[in-house]
Amino acid sequence: QVQLVESGGGLVQAGGSLKLSCAAAGRTFSAYAMGWFRQAPGKEREFVARISASGISTYYADSVKGRFAVSRENAKSTLYLQMNSLKPEDTAVYYCALDRTGRYDYDYWGQGTQVTVSS
């Protein structure tokens, strides 16, 4: 079993920044790729970013490329999402997820943290 706990969400004005964290427990964090997803009210959950187990490779949705940065600190079993130049359309619940098999099939999910961007 894996427990993922997100934190760092909140209310921010457009153009501002937030940094989300995801603390992992229960498995060897450094062995697995991780992802960030988000779900806005009335919309389906969408991919935001992914980082390889080593942290060397990262991938982003086009909507956040150049504004968001995913990183990880394996020694602390923690995943991060630095969000800059936030827009009202970034408002959503943000989830971290663990890809146990490496096949982009995320097995474990956190409970989510709310990010609200006011205009």
Side-chain angles (χ1 to χ4, degrees):
Q1 288 294 328
V2 176
Q3 296 80 43
L4 301 174
V5 180
E6 302 95 337
S7 60
L11 174 64
V12 63
Q13 288 189 332
S17 299
L18 279 176
K19 186 173 185 177
L20 305 183
S21 299
C22 171
R27 277 187 178 263
T28 306
F29 177 77
S30 60
Y32 305 103
M34 298 289 296
W36 284 100
F37 293 77
R38 67 187 182 186
Q39 187 167 20
K43 295 187 177 181
E44 294 188 354
R45 186 172 60 197
E46 65 174 358
F47 167 77
V48 174
R50 175 182 171 90
I51 187 167
S52 62
S54 66
I56 291 176
S57 300
T58 57
Y59 311 89
Y60 298 93
D62 288 342
S63 58
V64 307
K65 203 171 292 183
R67 299 188 299 121
F68 290 12
V70 60
S71 63
R72 64 192 297 161
E73 196 168 357
N74 285 341
K76 293 185 177 182
S77 297
T78 303
L79 175 73
Y80 302 100
L81 184 68
Q82 177 67 49
M83 306 186 294
N84 300 324
S85 301
L86 283 161
K87 304 175 181 180
E89 51 263 43
D90 294 318
T91 295
V93 177
Y94 284 72
Y95 300 90
C96 64
L98 182 146
D99 178 5
R100 186 172 53 88
T101 64
R103 294 195 291 265
Y104 294 76
D105 185 13
Y106 295 87
D107 307 272
Y108 298 98
W109 295 80
Q111 84 290 347
T113 185
Q114 176 71 47
V115 172
T116 303
V117 184
S118 63
S119 57

